[in-house]
């Protein structure tokens, strides 16, 4: 197995150094097909498990991974937008007012922009939280015992 991985790495680097984009594209398609054949046919034959069990395990792992990635992305965006709204934009607005580049009307426009973003983000977060609660309810709480 280690020798096969070594040979695949050598082939990949050779295609890269020769700048053969089409060859590398077909090589990656070949690798994807090879990995799927290994997972769904060779590995179940070696371990004695059925293909259905392996398929169920793969689907569960993919679904859990997608849910975790979505949660992490939502949390990172939530933190980023709140830092932007509550710290960065007020500092930019205060700096522009202090430097005299922005009159009272500009300050009001900046403030309305900040408040509009806040209302819009609250709406988006409410929708995301509602969808997340639905997924959690369907996957954990509402399962029949």
């Amino acid at each position: 197995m280690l020798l096969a991985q070594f040979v695949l790495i050598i082939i990949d680097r050779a295609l890269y150094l020769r700048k053969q984009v089409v060859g590398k594209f077909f090589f990656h398609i070949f690798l994807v097909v090879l990995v799927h054949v290994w997972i769904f046919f060779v590995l179940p034959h070696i371990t004695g498990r059925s293909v259905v069990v392996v398929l169920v395990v793969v689907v569960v792992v993919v679904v859990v991974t997608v849910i975790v990635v979505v949660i992490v992305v939502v949390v990172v965006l939530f933190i980023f937008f709140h830092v932007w709204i509550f710290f960065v934009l007020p500092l930019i607005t205060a700096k522009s007012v202090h430097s005299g580049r922005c009159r009272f009307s500009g300050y009001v426009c900046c403030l309305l922009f900040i408040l509009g973003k806040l209302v819009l983000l609250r709406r988006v977060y409410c929708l995301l939280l509602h969808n997340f609660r639905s997924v959690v309810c369907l996957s954990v709480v509402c399962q029949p015992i």
Side-chain angles (χ1 to χ4, degrees):
M1 188 66 180
L2 191 61
L3 187 61
Q5 288 177 347
F6 178 72
V7 168
L8 291 175
I9 291 171
I10 296 296
I11 293 171
D12 182 59
R13 293 294 91 197
L15 290 171
Y16 171 75
L17 289 175
R18 294 191 176 262
K19 295 184 169 86
Q20 293 185 356
V21 178
V22 177
K24 191 160 179 161
F25 174 74
F26 286 117
F27 177 69
H28 280 283
I29 289 178
F30 168 74
L31 282 181
V32 168
V33 170
L34 184 70
V35 165
H36 281 81
V37 167
W38 176 263
I39 288 174
F40 293 115
F41 297 107
V42 177
L43 197 59
H45 181 70
I46 292 172
T47 60
R49 294 184 180 177
S50 71
V51 176
V52 176
V53 173
V54 174
L55 186 62
V56 167
V57 170
V58 168
V59 167
V60 167
V61 167
V62 167
V63 168
V64 168
T65 305
V66 167
I67 289 173
V68 168
V69 167
V70 166
I71 291 171
V72 167
V73 166
V74 167
V75 168
V76 167
L77 287 176
F78 182 83
I79 292 170
F80 172 75
F81 284 133
H82 278 78
V83 166
W84 180 259
I85 286 172
F86 291 116
F87 296 107
V88 177
L89 281 180
L91 288 175
I92 292 171
T93 306
K95 183 66 178 170
S96 64
V97 169
H98 180 71
S99 67
R101 291 190 210 124
C102 188
R103 303 253 189 258
F104 180 73
S105 60
Y107 178 71
V108 170
C109 287
C110 291
L111 190 59
L112 288 176
F113 174 73
I114 292 170
L115 292 175
K117 282 280 243 191
L118 181 63
V119 169
L120 177 68
L121 288 176
R122 289 289 180 197
R123 178 77 177 146
V124 169
Y125 291 143
C126 287
L127 290 174
L128 287 174
L129 186 60
H130 176 70
N131 290 339
F132 177 68
R133 285 182 185 162
S134 309
V135 169
V136 169
C137 178
L138 289 177
S139 62
V140 177
V141 179
C142 298
Q143 288 292 330
I145 296 175

